[in-house]
Amino acid sequence: MDKQSGKDFERPQYKKLVRRLKKDDLLYIKSIDRLGRNYGEILEQWRVLTKKKGIDIVVLDMPLLDTRRGKDLMGTFLSDIVLQVLSFVAENERTNIRQRQAEGIAAAKAKGVRFGRPPRPLPENYYNAYQQWKAGKITGTAAAKKCGIPLSTFRYRAEIYEKAKLL
């Protein structure tokens, strides 16, 4: 059972499964979008599994995608068409999900929602150290050490403070 997203085939459990499969094995897949979400990769994996490995695949929610039946030319043709359509739908759905996610994030940011961990409060002596650093009395490294924070954090917060003063 694979619990990772089907966005690609770089999934450890999937790779392990493919290594273990041998000729005439039967692979059940709940839905084609559980196999993958990339049109070209789904078609390629299907070809590898059915042609190279010689296994049969049954897609439970799409009876037309059962390689045990219809091994004649017409059955293979129908399976290929259905596989291509469903692969396209799976990739298209992934694209739509990403677009809706981006729109939702943009709408949330427009409403003022902040993402990520809230910033830690500054040490009480930060402004004193900042003023000494700004006046050139101490280095940035010394000021950061005095506050007990990394130099990058000291500089980052100094930049925010300077922008706030300009507003």
Side-chain angles (χ1 to χ4, degrees):
M1 180 178 279
D2 212 350
K3 299 209 181 209
Q4 274 186 290
S5 166
K7 71 177 183 168
D8 61 31
F9 290 92
E10 296 302 315
R11 306 184 309 256
Q13 292 299 326
Y14 178 76
K15 287 180 172 185
K16 184 176 177 183
L17 168 76
V18 171
R19 280 193 308 271
R20 287 184 172 199
L21 288 171
K22 49 193 178 306
K23 187 168 174 42
D24 296 327
D25 279 350
L26 178 60
L27 175 63
Y28 286 97
I29 301 172
K30 182 180 186 292
S31 175
I32 199 69
D33 68 336
R34 302 316 317 146
L35 178 62
R37 299 242 173 87
N38 179 295
Y39 177 77
E41 289 181 1
I42 291 172
L43 297 178
E44 175 61 20
Q45 285 300 310
W46 190 274
R47 187 188 66 73
V48 165
L49 294 171
T50 58
K51 305 287 190 276
K52 279 189 174 177
K53 289 263 186 192
I55 69 160
D56 283 314
I57 301 175
V58 176
V59 179
L60 297 174
D61 72 349
M62 182 54 61
L64 286 172
L65 289 177
D66 183 345
T67 60
R68 296 174 300 177
R69 296 180 301 156
K71 294 207 180 220
D72 60 339
L73 188 59
M74 181 59 85
T76 302
F77 174 71
L78 288 174
S79 287
D80 287 349
I81 289 175
V82 171
L83 177 63
Q84 288 189 20
V85 169
L86 292 178
S87 299
F88 169 78
V89 169
E91 181 171 343
N92 195 45
E93 181 60 21
R94 175 156 174 75
T95 302
N96 290 341
I97 288 169
R98 293 182 73 169
Q99 181 180 353
R100 287 192 298 265
Q101 179 186 29
E103 290 168 358
I105 290 170
K109 284 184 177 180
K111 288 181 182 177
V113 174
R114 290 184 47 114
F115 292 89
R117 181 172 53 183
R120 286 188 179 152
L122 287 172
E124 288 182 23
N125 64 342
Y126 178 82
Y127 295 106
N128 181 25
Y130 169 80
Q131 288 169 343
Q132 287 180 346
W133 170 69
K134 207 61 179 164
K137 294 179 181 173
I138 60 173
T139 65
T141 306
K145 195 172 214 171
K146 194 175 196 179
C147 295
I149 59 176
L151 176 60
S152 59
T153 302
F154 180 84
R155 288 183 176 158
Y156 173 72
R157 297 301 287 265
E159 185 180 322
I160 292 172
Y161 178 69
E162 289 167 2
K163 283 181 183 176
K165 279 184 12 184
L166 294 174
L167 296 176

